[in-house]
Amino acid sequence: KIENSKMTSLGEVVIIATGTNNCGLITNQESGESIEPDPERFVKDFEQILKLAEQKFARTIVLSLMPSDGTVMPLGGEAVVSYDNQTIAEFNAFIKSLCSENGITFVDLLPYFLGHEKELLADHIHPNTKGHKIIAKEITQILLPPL
């Protein structure tokens, strides 16, 4: 049950970092059949996440998606998943737009990571220590702005 009042006992700030799984193209290598990303479903689901966050927290901060280094990853059997940075950027634009429409702080990390995937990612889509430091710096600047 979602309540309309802010529940500050749960916290004043929530930081939402969404994975890129919804941007992945799943392909059966044997049959060639694939399941493509569904932007409409993603937007609908993300809207619900933002509504819930706004109801439960005084402030919401949303981090952008991480890019991919292009590695095709096995899922088991004949299935593999691949991520395209153009698709990730399109989904990221949806997130940015939803945040703008709802007055939610959006932290766009793509400019830091695109073109630096090998340097800033631990694997195909997750940040390494250097990448996490960039994220922490951006969040800190929002939460603790200079005097």
Side-chain angles (χ1 to χ4, degrees):
K1 180 179 173 187
I2 298 174
E3 299 197 16
N4 290 329
S5 64
K6 296 204 186 274
M7 297 181 62
T8 56
S9 63
L10 293 179
E12 293 296 321
V13 178
V14 62
I15 298 172
I16 299 172
T18 305
T20 57
N21 287 341
N22 290 325
C23 302
L25 173 66
I26 299 172
T27 306
N28 181 311
Q29 292 181 309
E30 189 173 295
S31 69
E33 294 179 19
S34 63
I35 301 171
E36 296 190 16
D38 184 348
E40 188 174 304
R41 170 87 187 257
F42 178 81
V43 168
K44 184 178 178 182
D45 290 346
F46 208 84
E47 285 176 324
Q48 291 299 310
I49 291 168
L50 293 180
K51 284 179 187 176
L52 181 60
E54 286 185 302
Q55 292 172 357
K56 300 285 183 180
F57 297 91
R59 183 171 184 197
T60 301
I61 298 170
V62 175
L63 305 181
S64 70
L65 300 171
M66 289 286 107
S68 171
D69 70 1
T71 302
V72 176
M73 298 298 295
L75 291 177
E78 298 297 320
V80 296
V81 62
S82 59
Y83 301 93
D84 172 70
N85 283 338
Q86 182 170 341
T87 301
I88 292 170
E90 290 169 8
F91 276 58
N92 200 52
F94 297 141
I95 295 170
K96 185 176 183 176
S97 177
L98 288 171
C99 288
S100 178
E101 291 169 13
N102 292 286
I104 294 173
T105 302
F106 175 75
V107 181
D108 194 356
L109 299 167
L110 283 182
Y112 295 102
F113 284 82
L114 281 174
H116 303 282
E117 293 87 354
K118 298 292 185 193
E119 176 188 347
L120 299 174
L121 298 178
D123 59 18
H124 62 292
I125 54 173
H126 299 99
N128 62 18
T129 301
K130 280 184 172 180
H132 280 293
K133 286 181 180 178
I134 291 169
I135 296 167
K137 179 181 175 189
E138 290 300 305
I139 293 171
T140 300
Q141 288 178 347
I142 291 168
L143 294 175
L144 304 170
L147 298 175

